[in-house]
């Protein structure tokens, strides 16, 4: 519980900082490519940093929502079929590996 919440908080903070750095870098790269002073019109850097920070937060939030949806779908599958998805998947993989080994044994 506590470890997971710390991880989520850290992931969100990290993604916001990375997004902010990316926004600032994009604005500085834009000024550099146009061969104008890198910090010309500093308000644009503030806006780009804010947009980058929001984008980083949105990506982190989107990832968390998708993971929750994925876990919910796996739970629904298990409740509906009575089969654990991961155990069934591992069993199918073992069966495929055994069938492949038998085919190779026949060829030799």
């Amino acid at each position: 519980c506590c470890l997971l919440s710390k991880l989520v908080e850290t992931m969100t903070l990290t993604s916001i900082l990375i997004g902010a750095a990316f926004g600032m870098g994009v604005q500085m790269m834009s000024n550099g490519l146009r061969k104008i002073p890198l910090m010309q019109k500093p308000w644009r850097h503030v806006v780009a940093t804010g947009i980058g920070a929001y984008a980083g937060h949105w990506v982190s939030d989107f990832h968390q929502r998708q993971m929750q949806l994925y876990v919910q779908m796996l739970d629904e599958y298990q409740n509906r079929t009575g089969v654990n998805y991961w155990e069934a998947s591992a069993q199918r993989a073992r069966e495929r590996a055994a069938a492949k080994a038998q085919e190779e044994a026949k060829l030799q």
Side-chain angles (χ1 to χ4, degrees), residues 1 10 18 36-37 58 69 92 103:
C1 171
T10 303
I18 289 172
I36 59 176
W58 183 87
L69 181 62
R92 286 191 300 269
E103 288 178 18

Side-chain angles (χ1 to χ4, degrees), residues 28-108:
M28 292 182 79
M29 179 68 77
S30 172
N31 285 354
L33 289 173
R34 292 185 291 160
K35 299 199 185 295
I36 59 176
L38 293 181
M39 292 303 287
Q40 185 177 17
K41 298 184 182 176
W43 62 270
R44 288 184 178 176
H45 294 76
V46 173
V47 170
T49 301
I51 291 171
Y54 176 76
H57 173 71
W58 183 87
V59 166
S60 175
D61 191 42
F62 178 77
H63 175 71
Q64 291 171 12
R65 285 192 314 262
Q66 292 302 309
M67 289 303 295
Q68 289 172 351
L69 181 62
Y70 179 66
V71 168
Q72 180 184 359
M73 288 173 44
L74 287 178
D75 288 342
E76 288 174 3
Y77 175 80
Q78 184 172 358
N79 291 336
R80 188 174 60 242
T81 62
V83 176
N84 186 328
Y85 176 80
W86 297 112
E87 290 175 8
S89 179
Q91 179 63 29
R92 286 191 300 269
R94 284 191 294 270
E95 290 170 359
R96 283 193 300 266
K100 186 176 180 180
Q102 287 178 353
E103 288 178 18
E104 289 177 358
K106 287 180 185 178
L107 294 176
Q108 292 177 354

